[in-house]
Amino acid sequence: MTTLEKVRVLVVGDSGVGKSCLVHLICHNQVCSNPSYTIGAAVDVKIHEYKEGTPKQKSYFIELWDVGGSVNHSNSRHVFYNQVNGIILVHELTNRKSQLNLRKWLAEVLSRDNGGGRSKSTSEYDPEQFAGCQVPILVLGTKADQVDSKREAYLSNTSLIAEECGADEFNLDCLNVKHLAPGSTNSVKLSRFFDKVIDRRQVSRESSQFGSHQDRRRLNSQKSFHMD
């Protein structure tokens, strides 16, 4: 049996915006009838067909890390921010503050130390962080069923955070499986995002391998020089 490669996607946002229901819907194609608040992080897995319908099609495990949004755990959740291949930012459409807080969430994740240490305070957020961000980002608005028609027209425009990140974005109702039905616009956008995550992981891995190869060549050259 072939072992599937995996990628790691963080799902972050304020507490209560529906991250757990979203992850359950993505991974199991069914509604989560009795969600509970996440303490620390919960991990679920989806099998994704990369480049489906093309000669490059390949199955991957998508690990979705649902990170608890409680402010009580803000000093400890940095441990989940290492080796991230993609980020899903989640906000509630009926809660404007949750959308504004996406900037803090992204800053918290991106400002983690390269060595895996604690993230810097979100008060140090700098918009220039977005410019050099190579991690694919998706912005999702939940509870679309609770938005009236006028506000829905307004929300159809790309949010500022999505523009800054060059991210795809869509809204959905996590309690309605039709919102992620195969072939739907939302489903296509989600699949495209997962493909981007896998593409970026492959590029990063190839760059790392090339760098290691260059280091070995440099070391061998130095050894040869000293022997002479």
Side-chain angles (χ1 to χ4, degrees):
M1 181 178 179
T2 304
T3 301
L4 301 185
E5 295 185 60
K6 64 182 179 181
V7 293
R8 183 178 184 180
V9 176
L10 283 183
V11 182
V12 296
D14 286 357
S15 180
V17 297
K19 298 186 299 295
S20 297
C21 289
L22 171 67
V23 169
H24 191 85
L25 180 60
I26 292 174
C27 294
H28 305 286
N29 194 33
Q30 63 183 21
V31 171
C32 180
S33 58
N34 188 27
S36 58
Y37 282 97
T38 303
I39 299 176
V43 184
D44 212 337
V45 179
K46 172 184 175 62
I47 296 179
H48 172 68
E49 295 301 323
Y50 171 74
K51 301 291 185 184
E52 187 171 12
T54 73
K56 294 183 178 181
Q57 180 171 339
K58 183 179 178 181
S59 298
Y60 280 82
F61 279 132
I62 307 291
E63 286 188 354
L64 292 170
W65 287 67
D66 170 17
V67 180
S70 172
V71 294
N72 295 328
H73 303 110
S74 59
N75 292 328
S76 59
R77 56 182 174 238
H78 64 276
V79 298
F80 306 119
Y81 296 161
N82 301 316
Q83 299 179 338
V84 176
N85 304 121
I87 303 170
I88 297 179
L89 299 173
V90 186
H91 66 99
E92 181 184 325
L93 297 172
T94 59
N95 183 348
R96 175 67 173 169
K97 185 178 180 181
S98 70
Q99 184 188 70
L100 296 176
N101 284 344
L102 293 183
R103 303 172 68 84
K104 294 182 180 180
W105 278 103
L106 190 55
E108 181 177 302
V109 175
L110 295 182
S111 61
R112 68 192 185 283
D113 294 338
N114 291 330
R118 177 178 297 184
S119 298
K120 300 176 184 177
S121 169
T122 53
S123 62
E124 299 179 18
Y125 166 76
D126 184 345
E128 291 183 0
Q129 285 179 301
F130 295 130
C133 177
Q134 299 297 317
V135 180
I137 297 169
L138 179 66
V139 179
L140 295 184
T142 62
K143 304 187 180 180
D145 59 310
Q146 299 179 22
V147 178
D148 59 44
S149 58
K150 291 183 180 180
R151 181 164 169 76
E152 187 174 7
Y154 168 76
L155 290 170
S156 64
N157 298 322
T158 303
S159 64
L160 181 59
I161 186 73
E163 289 182 358
E164 289 179 326
C165 302
D168 276 333
E169 178 179 24
F170 64 85
N171 304 325
L172 79 167
D173 172 14
C174 297
L175 300 181
N176 188 339
V177 295
K178 293 182 179 179
H179 281 218
L180 276 183
S184 66
T185 300
N186 289 350
S187 179
V188 170
K189 286 186 177 182
L190 183 63
S191 180
R192 185 191 305 151
F193 167 70
F194 287 148
D195 280 357
K196 287 181 181 179
V197 170
I198 294 169
D199 284 336
R200 183 59 204 167
R201 177 182 179 275
Q202 292 175 341
V203 169
S204 299
R205 184 169 57 182
E206 289 171 1
S207 297
S208 177
Q209 291 175 344
F210 178 76
S212 298
H213 178 66
Q214 292 291 87
D215 290 342
R216 286 196 297 270
R217 288 186 59 183
R218 190 178 300 110
L219 180 60
N220 290 335
S221 297
Q222 291 174 348
K223 288 181 178 179
S224 177
F225 175 78
H226 287 304
M227 289 178 64
D228 292 342

